[in-house]
Amino acid sequence: MGESGREGSGQRPTARGTGRPAFRYRRTLGRPKPTHLVIRPVGAALVVEDPHGAPGPGNGAGTAAVGTATAGSTAAAAGVALGATTGKGADAGFLERFARLLPADPSTRTVLVPDGVDLGRSLERLDPVVEHLRDGERLRLVLGSASVQEDGGSCPASQLATRIGREVIVPDGPVLLHPGGTLYVTHPDGPQWGAGRWLRFRPGSSPVALGAHYPAPRWIEHARQTMATAGRIAHGEVLGIPIPAGWMLRRLGASAERPHGDLSFSVPVNDHWCTVLLGCGDELAPDALQVAGWLENLPPELRARVALGAQGTGPARDARSWPWAVARALGQRVAAWSGVPLADEAGTVRVTICAHAGAPAWCPTAGLLLVSPTGRCDIAAWQYRPGADLPPCAPDPEGRPVAPLPEGWVCEVVPSGLWIRPREVEPSPVRRPVLDALPTAERLTLVVGTTGRRVPSGVWSRLPGLVTSMPPQMRSRLDLVIIGEVSVPGLNAVTAVTDRYKVSCGFRDELAEPGPPASA
């Protein structure tokens, strides 16, 4: 499995910038000699248990457990425990569930240790783990204190590597057990200071510093130099703080404390896309010009892998159009999530619109947008599944996600929601505000019709079933926008929907005139 990172020296690992050890090992003199541990294979990992569960100080996992965020949950119920202190949040039950999410790696066996387990001063109680390793397999310990030297001698991880004759990898800071199966090391002084590192110890060799992620996403290959200084990137009035999925952009001068409801560290790692979140929780996000300036500082190869996202409304002046504003300010196409990618309890990742205080509210129709400086928007990924006996959405010849309707019409996924239109409508080279706008925590739009075309009766007959089949979280936020002249069957269909579901409805003679992207 690939590693991210940089080469290091054999110097004593410390909390960078402080000159002190990343973790201090607590001695256990005077305590009864520990009995053997139970080491159980679970999925692709090994979970360590102490059958006697002796209370007291231990050197078990320095982990901050991050759970999953599910639609409709609050920030607390979403399991965000980024503020947890080292050594809290990872009991045996949690580690067993997490172990089943880890991908199989034929070269490495990961060992997860619950909090408070005494492994011995030089990790001697872990020696039996070698019996579970295949030939040539190395050991990765999710263990907070193993990389710290004692009394000028070698550190516990180095001693373990020498005794068992295997490569041992340990973190230099707290480890986030992240949704999706990623192990991410944060800075020893706290996540607001940047990323940590995995340290590799080989028998008789100096340690080598690796990257923060395991397994490493592909985009990290383009971020090695950027991550060399704990990953914090300041440009102008914007500070980029590393998160497992990429970076979080905050205005300089913002409080070091993360606002209540921030879900930045719960966003799953995407192998292809480096997620850059604008703002933190409900705080004011950097504006489009500031974001564009920060992006210009990235290596071109990394910038091409960036997908922007916003937890709240994004930049205040561009709440529903900030991707278009950033593309125009940057002068090149940008990728943007229509919300925040979050994983549910089954590990399924869906882009989610968040309400105030970080509460995930609902899942929009579009997932990932590709927005050009001219205003054109293409849907690169979508998550809407139409009901009412309609087949799943599939790309049309222009690559637009559509589901067929009667009489040559289709239902298309657009940034603002859905658009019922004739099949032969050409893609627009510029932005159309009624279609090309982000949904909000409160509203999503269903546009029916287009300029100069009457909607056939067969299409109107499908409208009530289409709305009925929507998830309740989507239907309760629905705005109907009807374009052009409406027939009697159309009025009947609209009335049936508005009366039953109390949705709002507006009528227009034509689609709004194309407008330029919102200025920053």
Side-chain angles (χ1 to χ4, degrees):
M1 187 69 67
E3 295 282 355
S4 65
R6 54 199 180 274
E7 296 298 312
S9 66
Q11 297 179 350
R12 177 179 180 177
T14 63
R16 288 187 292 279
T18 66
R20 60 177 174 75
F23 295 90
R24 184 170 299 280
Y25 182 83
R26 292 187 283 185
R27 300 177 184 273
T28 57
L29 296 178
R31 294 179 59 197
K33 184 177 180 180
T35 57
H36 291 295
L37 298 175
V38 174
I39 301 173
R40 294 190 302 110
V42 180
L46 299 174
V47 175
V48 174
E49 295 178 354
D50 188 340
H52 297 281
N59 51 350
T63 58
V66 175
T68 58
T70 58
S73 67
T74 63
V80 182
L82 223 262
T85 57
T86 298
K88 293 184 178 181
D91 59 19
F94 177 85
L95 294 179
E96 181 168 337
R97 292 191 299 273
F98 185 85
R100 299 187 187 281
L101 298 176
L102 288 174
D105 183 350
S107 66
T108 306
R109 183 62 65 94
T110 298
V111 177
L112 304 175
V113 184
D115 297 335
V117 174
D118 179 12
L119 300 178
R121 178 171 177 173
S122 59
L123 305 183
E124 62 272 12
R125 296 187 74 197
L126 279 180
D127 288 358
V129 78
V130 72
E131 301 172 6
H132 297 267
L133 303 182
R134 295 182 289 267
D135 289 343
E137 196 172 36
R138 60 187 179 180
L139 194 64
R140 181 181 299 271
L141 297 179
V142 181
L143 181 66
S145 58
S147 62
V148 181
Q149 291 171 299
E150 275 291 308
D151 301 327
S154 60
C155 69
S158 177
Q159 297 174 44
L160 177 63
T162 299
R163 286 199 310 274
I164 68 174
R166 298 293 184 97
E167 182 178 304
V168 175
I169 301 172
V170 294
D172 72 349
V175 179
L176 300 184
L177 307 182
H178 203 261
T182 297
L183 299 173
Y184 177 82
V185 186
T186 65
H187 195 282
D189 291 336
Q192 70 272 23
W193 298 108
R197 304 167 299 179
W198 290 99
L199 298 173
R200 182 178 68 202
F201 293 85
R202 287 174 174 164
S205 299
S206 299
V208 173
L210 306 172
H213 297 81
Y214 176 78
R218 284 186 293 171
W219 56 262
I220 207 71
E221 293 294 324
H222 308 293
R224 290 186 184 277
Q225 185 174 359
T226 305
M227 296 294 289
T229 55
R232 285 164 62 96
I233 308 173
H235 177 77
E237 299 180 4
V238 178
L239 173 65
I241 300 173
I243 59 176
W247 276 270
M248 167 178 58
L249 302 190
R250 304 184 70 182
R251 292 174 179 263
L252 286 179
S255 170
E257 297 297 325
R258 292 163 50 241
H260 174 68
D262 173 46
L263 295 177
S264 302
F265 286 81
S266 287
V267 176
V269 177
N270 187 290
D271 193 43
H272 179 82
W273 293 106
C274 170
T275 297
V276 174
L277 294 181
L278 312 187
C280 180
D282 286 337
E283 74 179 15
L284 181 64
D287 64 34
L289 282 175
Q290 292 171 330
V291 173
W294 189 89
L295 291 173
E296 286 176 339
N297 254 5
L298 298 181
E301 299 84 0
L302 178 59
R303 189 165 63 242
R305 295 288 193 104
V306 165
L308 302 173
Q311 292 186 67
T313 59
R317 285 177 288 174
D318 308 302
R320 298 194 65 189
S321 61
W322 62 260
W324 290 266
V326 173
R328 188 180 184 189
L330 189 61
Q332 67 182 67
R333 190 176 76 168
V334 300
W337 303 110
S338 60
V340 179
L342 294 173
D344 62 20
E345 294 179 353
T348 302
V349 178
R350 292 180 66 81
V351 178
T352 305
I353 301 287
C354 292
H356 296 296
W362 65 287
C363 297
T365 57
L368 184 67
L369 316 179
L370 300 179
V371 180
S372 72
T374 66
R376 173 167 176 167
C377 179
D378 296 306
I379 307 294
W382 58 92
Q383 49 193 18
Y384 172 65
R385 296 182 177 181
D389 300 323
L390 292 178
C393 292
D396 69 3
E398 298 290 342
R400 298 169 294 185
V402 299
L405 291 170
E407 303 187 45
W409 281 56
V410 296
C411 179
E412 179 186 354
V413 174
V414 294
S416 63
L418 298 170
W419 182 22
I420 294 177
R421 61 163 177 86
R423 180 181 290 119
E424 66 273 13
V425 170
E426 293 294 325
S428 174
V430 295
R431 178 171 174 259
R432 303 151 298 180
V434 70
L435 300 174
D436 299 325
L438 294 179
T440 68
E442 296 81 21
R443 308 313 303 168
L444 131 134
T445 304
L446 170 56
V447 180
V448 182
T450 189
T451 304
R453 293 288 299 271
R454 172 174 282 197
V455 180
S457 298
V459 173
W460 284 122
S461 68
R462 304 302 293 271
L463 180 64
L466 186 68
V467 174
T468 299
S469 67
M470 291 179 176
Q473 299 93 336
M474 180 184 295
R475 191 170 56 237
S476 64
R477 293 168 168 82
L478 188 63
D479 280 336
L480 274 177
V481 177
I482 310 301
I483 308 298
E485 184 179 347
V486 184
S487 63
V488 172
L491 288 174
N492 292 337
V494 171
T495 300
V497 169
T498 56
D499 285 353
R500 180 174 181 182
Y501 297 113
K502 311 303 179 185
V503 303
S504 65
C505 182
F507 294 84
R508 299 186 182 187
D509 290 334
E510 56 185 28
L511 280 173
E513 288 297 321
S519 60

